[in-house]
Amino acid sequence: MSEAGAGAVAGGAEAGAGGVIVVASPDALADAVGRTATGEWFEVTQERIAAFADATEDHQWIHLDAERAAAGPFGSTIAHGYLTLSLLPHLASSLVQVGGVAMVMNYGMDRLRFLSPVPAGSRVRAVTEILSVEPAAAGVRLASKVTVEIEGAEKPALVAHTLSLYVPET
């Protein structure tokens, strides 16, 4: 949450160390709309790409054959787009911390765009912006824009509009 700096913000939302958005309760999430948080860099290794290829049975040469990929359109092997997407829980889940929550559930996505390939060995990080908050039967539904940046690249790897359900403790 670099735009606000550390300290309290309106309505009980706080910016913690590293830009984490801290909120006292699911009901206070509305006070954090418009806030952003940036995560830590994470390396996408060739080993991780190979393991994802095995898990998904997607063994395209652009992901696994370093020699052929070097002469290909990207100049090296690249991560699967869905591998990059699958890293969202790791990259973004700690960026919004909400007290008084029994659980947080992935509620889906409204939009997803893959914008740039992620070369093997690159580092990526998430930037999360809280877009909106709506009451739901089981709690509060949070809509976020999550951008996965590639270190040193002009364009991000992906932009996703994600939905999460924050279920309060009873």
Side-chain angles (χ1 to χ4, degrees):
M1 191 156 90
S2 58
E3 65 192 24
V9 295
E14 243 180 68
V20 174
I21 300 166
V22 180
V23 179
S25 69
D27 290 336
L29 274 167
D31 297 328
V33 171
R35 299 290 175 189
T36 62
T38 302
E40 299 294 323
W41 291 110
F42 178 81
E43 184 178 2
V44 181
T45 64
Q46 184 61 51
E47 294 78 17
R48 183 174 298 275
I49 294 168
F52 190 83
D54 288 342
T56 61
E57 297 296 330
D58 182 354
H59 295 99
Q60 277 194 77
W61 61 270
I62 60 173
H63 305 304
L64 302 172
D65 187 336
E67 186 176 316
R68 187 174 176 193
F74 307 113
S76 71
T77 55
I78 60 169
H80 305 71
Y82 284 118
L83 166 56
T84 306
L85 178 64
S86 75
L87 292 173
L88 286 188
H90 173 73
L91 297 173
S93 65
S94 65
L95 297 180
V96 179
Q97 298 177 2
V98 181
V101 172
M103 68 178 162
V104 181
M105 296 175 58
N106 175 357
Y107 203 77
M109 275 187 249
D110 281 338
R111 181 182 173 101
L112 170 64
R113 294 291 183 266
F114 296 108
L115 301 173
S116 293
V118 177
S122 295
R123 294 191 334 153
V124 297
R125 70 178 176 188
V127 178
T128 298
E129 177 186 0
I130 298 177
L131 298 177
S132 65
V133 176
E134 296 179 13
V140 176
R141 189 170 51 247
L142 175 78
S144 298
K145 175 183 171 185
V146 182
T147 303
V148 176
E149 299 178 334
I150 307 166
E151 190 173 39
E154 287 184 31
K155 291 195 323 187
L158 66 82
V159 177
H161 288 207
T162 64
L163 301 171
S164 302
L165 180 65
Y166 285 78
V167 179
E169 294 176 333
T170 54

